[in-house]
Amino acid sequence: MTQDPYNYGTQREAPRTAAPDALSPQDERTWSMLAHLSIFVNLLTGVFGPVVALLIWLVYKDRSQKVSFHALQSLWYQIAWLVILTVGWMVSVILMLVLIGFLLALIMIPISLVPFVHAAYGAYRVYQGEEFRYPWIADMVERR
């Protein structure tokens, strides 16, 4: 603290210019894992998993390149699967009106589980300190 020369008896703090702290390797692994696990928020809310991944990216994009990469990867992976599953289920429901969609619905059920299993595996790999990349999505994120 410095004393104000014109106003005796009052003190003010010197301005702070601290940069955000870098994350420890353990914190990087934890936040990267949580970015991948954010897909499970979709089980409760339907579509807010990408929002959680986006929030992790916004908070840590300047503090950790690794967390930033995994959060963006998770965000785009979830958006891609939400689009794929929405279209798949819509086509299935429309075709169900013609009775052909029951077969497609039987196929859509296990396909709907794929992103959750894949994201859980990614979270495990990242937490173990290994590199994990979603096909196509990781390349798109790196090009940004």
Side-chain angles (χ1 to χ4, degrees):
M1 291 196 191
T2 59
Q3 187 169 3
D4 187 352
Y6 299 107
N7 193 357
Y8 300 107
T10 62
Q11 296 183 356
R12 60 185 162 145
E13 287 187 35
R16 296 180 188 186
T17 58
D21 297 334
L23 294 177
S24 69
Q26 177 62 38
D27 287 343
E28 280 187 330
R29 286 196 312 268
T30 300
W31 283 107
S32 296
M33 175 193 66
L34 290 174
H36 289 286
L37 291 179
S38 67
I39 195 168
F40 288 96
V41 172
N42 294 328
L43 291 175
L44 300 174
T45 65
V47 295
F48 286 112
V51 173
V52 173
L54 177 64
L55 289 174
I56 292 171
W57 178 75
L58 288 172
V59 170
Y60 292 103
K61 68 180 178 174
D62 297 327
R63 295 177 64 188
S64 170
Q65 186 176 3
K66 182 177 184 174
V67 174
S68 173
F69 174 75
H70 287 287
L72 275 180
Q73 223 186 170
S74 178
L75 169 72
W76 288 112
Y77 182 75
Q78 290 180 58
I79 289 172
W81 271 104
L82 284 172
V83 169
I84 291 166
L85 293 176
T86 299
V87 170
W89 279 108
M90 285 173 47
V91 169
S92 179
V93 167
I94 290 169
L95 291 177
M96 242 186 254
L97 298 174
V98 189
L99 299 176
I100 297 173
F102 286 111
L103 293 175
L104 183 57
L106 290 175
I107 294 170
M108 285 300 298
I109 291 170
I111 289 174
S112 298
L113 299 176
V114 168
F116 297 100
V117 173
H118 201 197
Y121 176 69
Y124 170 77
R125 293 269 315 264
V126 168
Y127 193 73
Q128 296 299 321
E130 301 171 19
E131 193 56 37
F132 179 77
R133 300 169 60 86
Y134 292 113
W136 302 293
I137 302 293
D139 296 333
M140 182 185 75
V141 168
E142 282 181 337
R143 276 185 263 144
R144 71 162 177 97

